Amino acid sequence: MIQLHYLERSRAIRILWLLDELCTDFELIQYQRDANHRAPASLKAVHPLGKSPVIVDGDLVLAESSAILRYIDARYGGNRFSPPSDSDAAAVHDEWLDYVEGSAAFPIMLTLIGGMTGGLSEKMDAFVAPGRDATLRYIAAGVGKGPFLMGEQLTLADMQMFYLLQVADRAKLLADYPALTTYLARLTEQPGLKRAIERAGETGA
């Protein structure tokens, strides 16, 4: 049985969402952030990085959201939330899946952390803003035809994107992007995500 090591208010919501969609048996092991909003040291006993999400499945210990999503969907979901592997859509889907943390997250997370620590300096904001705005425009264009990133089908890429847009919303970055606020609301209404949020006790997140 899969163990999901779940840190509150973290990227782990992506994995919990997928597991709830697949109705797969799993054990949810929850962790609270410390006073500095960091993961507790006990997570390092599970994985050397001490971060979440992490899954344990038999002898396999796996970190990183996109790797975990791909593994679970392939092993337990029959690739239900992925396009056919020999299609062009699979390549585009992989691009979205990796883009979220590979490029898109940096300017958005930096803005959020800046807001939590007194705000970005004028010079830093001038450096971050162009990339941040380009990122949000790119994602908005990607969901423009909707309802999801890959069209009609909810995929792993949407599960990956949810947390990042949730962060962007907390950082008050979505006001000028109605396509993104609509897309985020659509994701939030997905039954599997609703179950995951309720299961994790993060209904106020």
Side-chain angles (χ1 to χ4, degrees), residues 92-143:
V92 175
H93 177 259
D94 281 349
E95 179 185 22
W96 278 117
L97 195 57
D98 293 336
Y99 169 71
V100 173
E101 293 294 340
S103 300
F106 173 73
I108 293 173
M109 294 299 297
L110 192 59
T111 302
L112 178 70
I113 294 169
M116 294 168 60
T117 56
L120 296 176
S121 69
E122 185 176 344
K123 286 185 177 180
M124 180 60 77
D125 190 61
F127 172 77
V128 171
R132 181 182 62 215
D133 295 343
T135 293
L136 294 172
R137 286 195 303 270
Y138 182 68
I139 300 170
V143 300

Short mmCIF file of all heavy atoms in Angstrom, two decimals, residues 92-143:
data_model
loop_
_atom_site.label_atom_id
_atom_site.label_comp_id
_atom_site.label_asym_id
_atom_site.label_seq_id
_atom_site.Cartn_x
_atom_site.Cartn_y
_atom_site.Cartn_z
N VAL A 92 3.13 17.18 -25.40
CA VAL A 92 2.65 18.48 -24.92
C VAL A 92 2.28 18.38 -23.44
O VAL A 92 2.59 19.28 -22.65
CB VAL A 92 1.43 18.94 -25.76
CG1 VAL A 92 0.84 20.22 -25.18
CG2 VAL A 92 1.84 19.15 -27.21
N HIS A 93 1.65 17.29 -23.07
CA HIS A 93 1.28 17.07 -21.67
C HIS A 93 2.51 17.04 -20.78
O HIS A 93 2.55 17.65 -19.71
CB HIS A 93 0.49 15.77 -21.55
CG HIS A 93 0.13 15.41 -20.15
ND1 HIS A 93 0.82 14.47 -19.42
CD2 HIS A 93 -0.84 15.88 -19.33
CE1 HIS A 93 0.28 14.36 -18.22
NE2 HIS A 93 -0.73 15.21 -18.14
N ASP A 94 3.56 16.33 -21.23
CA ASP A 94 4.79 16.27 -20.44
C ASP A 94 5.43 17.65 -20.32
O ASP A 94 6.01 17.98 -19.28
CB ASP A 94 5.78 15.30 -21.08
CG ASP A 94 5.45 13.85 -20.78
OD1 ASP A 94 4.60 13.60 -19.90
OD2 ASP A 94 6.05 12.96 -21.40
N GLU A 95 5.32 18.44 -21.38
CA GLU A 95 5.85 19.80 -21.31
C GLU A 95 5.15 20.60 -20.22
O GLU A 95 5.80 21.25 -19.39
CB GLU A 95 5.69 20.51 -22.66
CG GLU A 95 6.22 21.94 -22.64
CD GLU A 95 5.95 22.68 -23.94
OE1 GLU A 95 5.04 22.27 -24.69
OE2 GLU A 95 6.65 23.67 -24.20
N TRP A 96 3.82 20.54 -20.19
CA TRP A 96 3.08 21.25 -19.15
C TRP A 96 3.44 20.71 -17.77
O TRP A 96 3.64 21.48 -16.82
CB TRP A 96 1.57 21.09 -19.38
CG TRP A 96 0.97 22.03 -20.36
CD1 TRP A 96 0.36 21.72 -21.54
CD2 TRP A 96 0.89 23.46 -20.25
NE1 TRP A 96 -0.08 22.86 -22.17
CE2 TRP A 96 0.23 23.94 -21.40
CE3 TRP A 96 1.31 24.38 -19.29
CZ2 TRP A 96 -0.02 25.30 -21.62
CZ3 TRP A 96 1.07 25.74 -19.50
CH2 TRP A 96 0.41 26.18 -20.65
N LEU A 97 3.51 19.40 -17.65
CA LEU A 97 3.75 18.78 -16.35
C LEU A 97 5.09 19.23 -15.78
O LEU A 97 5.21 19.53 -14.59
CB LEU A 97 3.71 17.26 -16.51
CG LEU A 97 3.60 16.40 -15.26
CD1 LEU A 97 2.38 16.75 -14.43
CD2 LEU A 97 3.55 14.92 -15.66
N ASP A 98 6.11 19.31 -16.64
CA ASP A 98 7.44 19.70 -16.18
C ASP A 98 7.61 21.22 -16.10
O ASP A 98 8.40 21.72 -15.29
CB ASP A 98 8.51 19.12 -17.10
CG ASP A 98 8.58 17.60 -17.02
OD1 ASP A 98 8.17 17.04 -15.99
OD2 ASP A 98 9.01 16.97 -18.00
N TYR A 99 6.87 21.94 -16.92
CA TYR A 99 6.97 23.40 -16.93
C TYR A 99 6.59 24.01 -15.59
O TYR A 99 7.20 24.99 -15.14
CB TYR A 99 6.07 23.95 -18.04
CG TYR A 99 5.87 25.45 -18.01
CD1 TYR A 99 6.91 26.31 -18.36
CD2 TYR A 99 4.65 26.01 -17.63
CE1 TYR A 99 6.73 27.69 -18.33
CE2 TYR A 99 4.47 27.37 -17.60
CZ TYR A 99 5.51 28.21 -17.95
OH TYR A 99 5.33 29.57 -17.91
N VAL A 100 5.61 23.43 -14.94
CA VAL A 100 5.09 24.02 -13.70
C VAL A 100 6.20 24.26 -12.69
O VAL A 100 6.36 25.36 -12.16
CB VAL A 100 3.98 23.14 -13.10
CG1 VAL A 100 3.56 23.67 -11.73
CG2 VAL A 100 2.77 23.10 -14.02
N GLU A 101 6.99 23.22 -12.41
CA GLU A 101 8.07 23.38 -11.44
C GLU A 101 9.39 23.75 -12.09
O GLU A 101 10.25 24.36 -11.46
CB GLU A 101 8.24 22.09 -10.62
CG GLU A 101 7.07 21.77 -9.72
CD GLU A 101 6.88 22.78 -8.59
OE1 GLU A 101 7.84 23.51 -8.27
OE2 GLU A 101 5.77 22.85 -8.03
N GLY A 102 9.55 23.42 -13.37
CA GLY A 102 10.82 23.70 -14.03
C GLY A 102 11.05 25.18 -14.31
O GLY A 102 12.18 25.66 -14.23
N SER A 103 9.99 25.91 -14.66
CA SER A 103 10.13 27.33 -15.01
C SER A 103 9.10 28.22 -14.34
O SER A 103 9.43 29.31 -13.88
CB SER A 103 10.00 27.50 -16.54
OG SER A 103 10.99 26.78 -17.23
N ALA A 104 7.86 27.77 -14.31
CA ALA A 104 6.77 28.65 -13.89
C ALA A 104 6.80 28.98 -12.40
O ALA A 104 6.41 30.08 -12.00
CB ALA A 104 5.42 28.03 -14.26
N ALA A 105 7.23 28.04 -11.59
CA ALA A 105 7.10 28.22 -10.14
C ALA A 105 7.99 29.33 -9.59
O ALA A 105 7.59 30.04 -8.66
CB ALA A 105 7.40 26.91 -9.41
N PHE A 106 9.18 29.51 -10.15
CA PHE A 106 10.15 30.42 -9.54
C PHE A 106 9.61 31.84 -9.34
O PHE A 106 9.62 32.34 -8.21
CB PHE A 106 11.44 30.44 -10.36
CG PHE A 106 12.43 31.47 -9.89
CD1 PHE A 106 13.12 31.29 -8.70
CD2 PHE A 106 12.62 32.64 -10.60
CE1 PHE A 106 14.03 32.25 -8.25
CE2 PHE A 106 13.52 33.60 -10.17
CZ PHE A 106 14.22 33.41 -8.98
N PRO A 107 9.14 32.53 -10.38
CA PRO A 107 8.71 33.92 -10.14
C PRO A 107 7.47 34.02 -9.26
O PRO A 107 7.31 35.00 -8.52
CB PRO A 107 8.45 34.45 -11.55
CG PRO A 107 8.16 33.24 -12.38
CD PRO A 107 9.01 32.15 -11.80
N ILE A 108 6.61 33.02 -9.32
CA ILE A 108 5.38 33.07 -8.51
C ILE A 108 5.69 32.78 -7.05
O ILE A 108 5.22 33.49 -6.15
CB ILE A 108 4.35 32.08 -9.09
CG1 ILE A 108 3.90 32.58 -10.47
CG2 ILE A 108 3.15 31.94 -8.15
CD1 ILE A 108 3.01 31.62 -11.22
N MET A 109 6.50 31.76 -6.79
CA MET A 109 6.86 31.46 -5.41
C MET A 109 7.68 32.58 -4.80
O MET A 109 7.51 32.92 -3.62
CB MET A 109 7.65 30.15 -5.36
CG MET A 109 6.87 28.92 -5.75
SD MET A 109 5.43 28.58 -4.70
CE MET A 109 6.22 28.28 -3.12
N LEU A 110 8.56 33.19 -5.59
CA LEU A 110 9.38 34.28 -5.09
C LEU A 110 8.50 35.46 -4.68
O LEU A 110 8.74 36.11 -3.65
CB LEU A 110 10.39 34.71 -6.15
CG LEU A 110 11.51 35.65 -5.68
CD1 LEU A 110 12.32 35.00 -4.57
CD2 LEU A 110 12.41 36.00 -6.86
N THR A 111 7.46 35.72 -5.47
CA THR A 111 6.54 36.81 -5.14
C THR A 111 5.79 36.51 -3.85
O THR A 111 5.62 37.39 -2.99
CB THR A 111 5.55 37.04 -6.29
OG1 THR A 111 6.28 37.34 -7.48
CG2 THR A 111 4.61 38.18 -5.97
N LEU A 112 5.32 35.27 -3.70
CA LEU A 112 4.61 34.90 -2.48
C LEU A 112 5.51 35.03 -1.26
O LEU A 112 5.13 35.62 -0.24
CB LEU A 112 4.09 33.47 -2.59
CG LEU A 112 3.36 32.96 -1.33
CD1 LEU A 112 2.03 33.66 -1.15
CD2 LEU A 112 3.18 31.45 -1.38
N ILE A 113 6.72 34.48 -1.35
CA ILE A 113 7.64 34.53 -0.21
C ILE A 113 8.02 35.97 0.10
O ILE A 113 8.13 36.37 1.27
CB ILE A 113 8.89 33.68 -0.51
CG1 ILE A 113 8.49 32.20 -0.59
CG2 ILE A 113 9.95 33.87 0.57
CD1 ILE A 113 9.57 31.29 -1.14
N GLY A 114 8.19 36.78 -0.95
CA GLY A 114 8.47 38.19 -0.73
C GLY A 114 7.37 38.86 0.06
O GLY A 114 7.63 39.64 0.99
N GLY A 115 6.13 38.54 -0.28
CA GLY A 115 5.00 39.12 0.45
C GLY A 115 4.94 38.68 1.90
O GLY A 115 4.49 39.43 2.77
N MET A 116 5.43 37.47 2.18
CA MET A 116 5.43 36.96 3.55
C MET A 116 6.56 37.54 4.38
O MET A 116 6.55 37.43 5.61
CB MET A 116 5.55 35.43 3.52
CG MET A 116 4.35 34.72 2.91
SD MET A 116 4.67 32.96 2.59
CE MET A 116 5.03 32.36 4.24
N THR A 117 7.54 38.15 3.71
CA THR A 117 8.72 38.65 4.42
C THR A 117 8.92 40.15 4.24
O THR A 117 10.04 40.64 4.25
CB THR A 117 9.98 37.90 3.94
OG1 THR A 117 10.09 38.02 2.51
CG2 THR A 117 9.91 36.42 4.30
N GLY A 118 7.81 40.86 4.04
CA GLY A 118 7.89 42.31 3.96
C GLY A 118 7.86 42.88 2.56
O GLY A 118 7.93 44.10 2.39
N GLY A 119 7.77 42.02 1.55
CA GLY A 119 7.68 42.49 0.17
C GLY A 119 9.01 42.48 -0.55
O GLY A 119 10.07 42.65 0.07
N LEU A 120 8.96 42.26 -1.86
CA LEU A 120 10.17 42.29 -2.67
C LEU A 120 10.68 43.72 -2.77
O LEU A 120 9.91 44.67 -2.81
CB LEU A 120 9.88 41.77 -4.08
CG LEU A 120 9.46 40.30 -4.22
CD1 LEU A 120 9.14 39.99 -5.67
CD2 LEU A 120 10.53 39.37 -3.69
N SER A 121 11.99 43.87 -2.82
CA SER A 121 12.56 45.19 -3.04
C SER A 121 12.17 45.67 -4.44
O SER A 121 11.79 44.88 -5.31
CB SER A 121 14.08 45.15 -2.92
OG SER A 121 14.64 44.42 -4.00
N GLU A 122 12.28 46.97 -4.66
CA GLU A 122 11.92 47.52 -5.96
C GLU A 122 12.75 46.90 -7.08
O GLU A 122 12.23 46.56 -8.14
CB GLU A 122 12.11 49.05 -5.95
CG GLU A 122 11.65 49.73 -7.22
CD GLU A 122 11.76 51.25 -7.13
OE1 GLU A 122 11.88 51.77 -6.01
OE2 GLU A 122 11.72 51.90 -8.19
N LYS A 123 14.04 46.73 -6.83
CA LYS A 123 14.91 46.15 -7.85
C LYS A 123 14.57 44.68 -8.10
O LYS A 123 14.56 44.22 -9.25
CB LYS A 123 16.38 46.28 -7.43
CG LYS A 123 16.93 47.69 -7.56
CD LYS A 123 18.42 47.71 -7.25
CE LYS A 123 18.99 49.11 -7.44
NZ LYS A 123 20.45 49.15 -7.15
N MET A 124 14.29 43.96 -7.03
CA MET A 124 13.96 42.55 -7.18
C MET A 124 12.64 42.38 -7.91
O MET A 124 12.50 41.52 -8.79
CB MET A 124 13.91 41.85 -5.82
CG MET A 124 13.57 40.37 -5.90
SD MET A 124 14.76 39.40 -6.86
CE MET A 124 16.11 39.29 -5.68
N ASP A 125 11.66 43.21 -7.58
CA ASP A 125 10.37 43.11 -8.26
C ASP A 125 10.50 43.45 -9.74
O ASP A 125 9.87 42.82 -10.59
CB ASP A 125 9.34 44.03 -7.60
CG ASP A 125 7.94 43.77 -8.12
OD1 ASP A 125 7.45 42.63 -7.95
OD2 ASP A 125 7.34 44.69 -8.71
N ALA A 126 11.34 44.43 -10.05
CA ALA A 126 11.57 44.78 -11.45
C ALA A 126 12.22 43.62 -12.21
O ALA A 126 11.97 43.43 -13.40
CB ALA A 126 12.45 46.02 -11.54
N PHE A 127 13.04 42.85 -11.50
CA PHE A 127 13.68 41.69 -12.12
C PHE A 127 12.68 40.54 -12.30
O PHE A 127 12.67 39.87 -13.34
CB PHE A 127 14.84 41.22 -11.24
CG PHE A 127 15.46 39.92 -11.68
CD1 PHE A 127 16.31 39.88 -12.77
CD2 PHE A 127 15.18 38.74 -11.01
CE1 PHE A 127 16.87 38.68 -13.19
CE2 PHE A 127 15.73 37.54 -11.41
CZ PHE A 127 16.58 37.51 -12.51
N VAL A 128 11.82 40.33 -11.31
CA VAL A 128 10.92 39.18 -11.32
C VAL A 128 9.69 39.41 -12.19
O VAL A 128 9.21 38.49 -12.86
CB VAL A 128 10.47 38.86 -9.87
CG1 VAL A 128 9.37 37.80 -9.86
CG2 VAL A 128 11.66 38.39 -9.05
N ALA A 129 9.19 40.64 -12.22
CA ALA A 129 7.89 40.92 -12.85
C ALA A 129 7.78 40.48 -14.31
O ALA A 129 6.76 39.88 -14.69
CB ALA A 129 7.56 42.40 -12.72
N PRO A 130 8.76 40.75 -15.17
CA PRO A 130 8.60 40.34 -16.58
C PRO A 130 8.41 38.82 -16.74
O PRO A 130 7.54 38.37 -17.49
CB PRO A 130 9.89 40.82 -17.24
CG PRO A 130 10.35 41.95 -16.39
CD PRO A 130 9.99 41.55 -14.99
N GLY A 131 9.21 38.04 -16.04
CA GLY A 131 9.07 36.59 -16.12
C GLY A 131 7.78 36.11 -15.50
O GLY A 131 7.14 35.18 -16.02
N ARG A 132 7.38 36.74 -14.41
CA ARG A 132 6.12 36.37 -13.75
C ARG A 132 4.94 36.64 -14.66
O ARG A 132 4.05 35.79 -14.83
CB ARG A 132 5.99 37.16 -12.45
CG ARG A 132 4.75 36.86 -11.63
CD ARG A 132 4.73 37.74 -10.41
NE ARG A 132 4.68 39.16 -10.75
CZ ARG A 132 5.28 40.13 -10.05
NH1 ARG A 132 6.00 39.85 -8.99
NH2 ARG A 132 5.17 41.39 -10.42
N ASP A 133 4.93 37.81 -15.29
CA ASP A 133 3.81 38.17 -16.16
C ASP A 133 3.79 37.28 -17.41
O ASP A 133 2.71 36.86 -17.87
CB ASP A 133 3.90 39.64 -16.56
CG ASP A 133 3.73 40.57 -15.37
OD1 ASP A 133 3.24 40.11 -14.32
OD2 ASP A 133 4.11 41.76 -15.48
N ALA A 134 4.96 36.99 -17.96
CA ALA A 134 5.02 36.10 -19.13
C ALA A 134 4.51 34.71 -18.77
O ALA A 134 3.81 34.07 -19.57
CB ALA A 134 6.45 36.03 -19.65
N THR A 135 4.84 34.25 -17.58
CA THR A 135 4.37 32.94 -17.11
C THR A 135 2.86 32.90 -17.03
O THR A 135 2.22 31.96 -17.53
CB THR A 135 4.99 32.63 -15.73
OG1 THR A 135 6.40 32.46 -15.88
CG2 THR A 135 4.39 31.39 -15.12
N LEU A 136 2.27 33.90 -16.41
CA LEU A 136 0.82 33.91 -16.24
C LEU A 136 0.10 34.06 -17.58
O LEU A 136 -0.94 33.43 -17.81
CB LEU A 136 0.42 35.03 -15.27
CG LEU A 136 0.90 34.82 -13.83
CD1 LEU A 136 0.64 36.06 -12.99
CD2 LEU A 136 0.24 33.61 -13.20
N ARG A 137 0.66 34.86 -18.48
CA ARG A 137 0.06 34.98 -19.82
C ARG A 137 0.12 33.66 -20.57
O ARG A 137 -0.84 33.27 -21.25
CB ARG A 137 0.78 36.07 -20.63
CG ARG A 137 0.47 37.49 -20.20
CD ARG A 137 0.91 38.50 -21.27
NE ARG A 137 2.33 38.39 -21.58
CZ ARG A 137 3.29 39.07 -20.95
NH1 ARG A 137 2.98 39.90 -19.97
NH2 ARG A 137 4.55 38.93 -21.31
N TYR A 138 1.23 32.96 -20.43
CA TYR A 138 1.41 31.69 -21.13
C TYR A 138 0.41 30.65 -20.63
O TYR A 138 -0.21 29.93 -21.43
CB TYR A 138 2.84 31.20 -20.92
CG TYR A 138 3.17 29.91 -21.63
CD1 TYR A 138 3.25 29.86 -23.02
CD2 TYR A 138 3.42 28.74 -20.91
CE1 TYR A 138 3.56 28.68 -23.67
CE2 TYR A 138 3.74 27.56 -21.56
CZ TYR A 138 3.81 27.53 -22.94
OH TYR A 138 4.12 26.36 -23.58
N ILE A 139 0.24 30.57 -19.32
CA ILE A 139 -0.72 29.61 -18.77
C ILE A 139 -2.14 29.99 -19.16
O ILE A 139 -2.95 29.13 -19.52
CB ILE A 139 -0.58 29.52 -17.24
CG1 ILE A 139 0.83 29.07 -16.85
CG2 ILE A 139 -1.61 28.55 -16.66
CD1 ILE A 139 1.14 29.19 -15.36
N ALA A 140 -2.44 31.28 -19.12
CA ALA A 140 -3.78 31.73 -19.51
C ALA A 140 -4.09 31.37 -20.95
O ALA A 140 -5.20 30.93 -21.28
CB ALA A 140 -3.90 33.24 -19.30
N ALA A 141 -3.11 31.52 -21.83
CA ALA A 141 -3.30 31.13 -23.22
C ALA A 141 -3.50 29.62 -23.34
O ALA A 141 -4.29 29.14 -24.15
CB ALA A 141 -2.10 31.57 -24.06
N GLY A 142 -2.80 28.88 -22.49
CA GLY A 142 -2.90 27.42 -22.54
C GLY A 142 -4.26 26.89 -22.14
O GLY A 142 -4.69 25.85 -22.63
N VAL A 143 -4.93 27.60 -21.25
CA VAL A 143 -6.26 27.15 -20.83
C VAL A 143 -7.37 27.88 -21.58
O VAL A 143 -8.55 27.66 -21.31
CB VAL A 143 -6.46 27.34 -19.30
CG1 VAL A 143 -5.43 26.55 -18.54
CG2 VAL A 143 -6.42 28.81 -18.90
#
